[in-house]
Amino acid sequence: MTTTNASVRKAVIPAAGLGTRFLPATKAMPKEMLPVVDKPAIQYVVEEAVSVGLSDVLMITGRNKRALEDHFDRVPALEAMLEAKGDTTKLESIQAASNLGDIHYVRQGDPKGLGHAVLRAKQHVGLEPFAVLLGDDLIDPRDDLLSTMIEVQAKTGGSVVALIEVEPSQISSYGCADIEEIEGESYVRVKHLVEKPEPHEAPSNLALIGRYVLHPAVFEVLEGTEPGRGGEIQLTDALQELAAGDADGHGVYGVVFRGRRYDTGDKLSYLKACLELACDSEDLGPRLRDWLPEFTASLSK
Ligand code: UTP
């Protein structure tokens, strides 16, 4: 496949899932709009993309797209009201979301899986390598991941996934990678990928998290990818084809991430992520840290 030489410029953010683990909160609102401390999860993700120069963002939306579009749009009446009151802090906080670059939207229609959502980006992305960021995973802005992945993509010309080490018993919640080290390099080659394996069948304890930098050959593969686990068209299955060399995508590589990551995909991990981030915040952190030990002590009484 012929690709352009441009480095990665575009970010794709799938946000069309049904969010069933958060029902009823997600009945009328995408789960990516759930607040993490004081911003919707998706705003952290767009900020991360923009911070590494990916200011062309394509969101894949579902039936509840209105809240997403509204959040990243301006609200002149609210801005005027805050300006009149002289509340610059709040004014800046609402303007931050609408000043985040060029955000485009495309509908998925029927949410047939993450792979199907990514395929909806084909026309917008064209023949360039591109990043995919999932709103379930928040990466601490103090820790670098995406820019390293973009560098590895430029170096290898392939597709790059982000991996974390998990407890072996946890691997069945993730896509799992069988890898080999590359001499002299800090990234690895991915030999094989399997979606949510049982622990005894997992080739490693390296789990895929929601950051990808993909070769555009993935689109052709996705066009032929049959529904897999859960009856969904799985991105992992398409990447497995690229890893196996069955398609002309120059292989799949992995960056093992050891920085701070907050999982917001299910209720418990979401609550933990909110607490961790709130403890770190300048505004809420000191009061929350004072209160937490009192609260936990009261639990053991
Ligand atoms: P999940 O696997 O977490 O699915 O999707 P979900 O529907 O959002 O949530 P649950 O499992 O029902 O609670 C991972 C990411 O892929 C997107 C989701 O929006 C989420 O960001 N996605 C998933 C789509 O955009 N379309 C799909 O068809 C499936």
Side-chain angles (χ1 to χ4, degrees):
M1 175 180 209
T2 318
T3 59
T4 64
N5 287 327
S7 70
V8 181
R9 298 183 304 129
K10 294 177 182 169
V12 173
I13 304 185
L18 295 175
T20 53
R21 285 171 289 172
F22 275 99
L23 283 169
T26 47
K27 186 177 170 197
M29 170 182 88
K31 78 170 173 195
E32 290 76 7
M33 282 301 295
L34 287 171
V36 177
V37 188
D38 55 3
K39 287 189 284 194
I42 197 148
Q43 187 174 335
Y44 291 85
V45 173
V46 175
E47 285 170 353
E48 182 189 340
V50 171
S51 76
V52 295
L54 311 181
S55 53
D56 179 330
V57 174
L58 177 70
M59 261 179 219
I60 316 293
T61 61
R63 71 207 152 85
N64 300 320
K65 78 167 185 166
R66 177 98 193 264
L68 287 163
E69 287 197 354
D70 285 350
H71 182 72
F72 292 102
D73 200 0
R74 294 196 46 202
V75 194
L78 184 56
E79 288 180 31
M81 189 271 278
L82 293 170
E83 208 161 355
K85 279 172 110 182
D87 193 339
T88 44
T89 310
K90 287 206 183 77
L91 179 63
E92 282 165 18
S93 78
I94 64 157
Q95 286 173 335
S98 45
N99 290 338
L100 276 172
D102 206 1
I103 305 185
H104 310 267
Y105 301 87
V106 65
R107 293 290 275 252
Q108 189 183 3
D110 195 5
K112 293 188 198 159
L114 177 59
H116 183 252
V118 170
L119 184 54
R120 297 289 296 125
K122 181 179 175 185
Q123 202 178 350
H124 184 88
V125 166
L127 298 176
E128 302 173 22
F130 63 105
V132 175
L133 296 86
L134 304 189
D136 284 4
D137 279 319
L138 304 186
I139 301 296
D140 196 296
R142 293 164 292 186
D143 296 323
D144 169 65
L145 172 60
L146 203 50
S147 59
T148 305
M149 295 175 73
I150 291 172
E151 278 165 29
V152 173
Q153 197 289 323
K155 200 164 173 183
T156 60
S159 293
V160 185
V161 296
L163 303 167
I164 55 163
E165 287 176 276
V166 298
E167 287 298 320
S169 60
Q170 304 296 307
I171 197 73
S172 56
S173 305
Y174 296 87
C176 174
D178 188 8
I179 58 116
E180 71 187 7
E181 306 282 338
I182 303 174
E183 213 186 315
E185 298 293 357
S186 54
Y187 58 90
V188 297
R189 193 174 82 79
V190 174
K191 294 192 291 181
H192 185 75
L193 286 163
V194 43
E195 182 63 17
K196 300 191 170 83
E198 290 306 322
H200 67 275
E201 285 165 347
S204 75
N205 69 334
L206 289 171
L208 292 180
I209 58 167
R211 296 292 178 276
Y212 307 82
V213 179
L214 301 177
H215 186 285
V218 74
F219 292 126
E220 240 167 79
V221 178
L222 280 169
E223 276 164 349
T225 303
E226 296 291 330
R229 213 184 151 94
E232 296 195 340
I233 297 174
Q234 299 285 356
L235 181 60
T236 308
D237 293 345
L239 293 176
Q240 159 54 24
E241 266 193 55
L242 292 178
D246 298 343
D248 176 21
H250 308 280
V252 177
Y253 300 84
V255 170
V256 181
F257 181 60
R258 297 196 168 84
R260 284 157 285 194
R261 161 189 177 254
Y262 312 97
D263 173 8
T264 60
D266 66 62
K267 289 181 204 170
L268 182 62
S269 55
Y270 166 79
L271 290 171
K272 287 182 187 170
C274 291
L275 270 181
E276 280 182 70
L277 282 162
C279 280
D280 263 357
S281 102
E282 263 177 43
D283 168 25
L284 302 170
R287 283 173 290 158
L288 188 59
R289 281 166 191 266
D290 278 350
W291 172 79
L292 268 175
E294 279 171 39
F295 176 63
T296 44
S298 75
L299 295 177
S300 49
K301 277 183 194 155

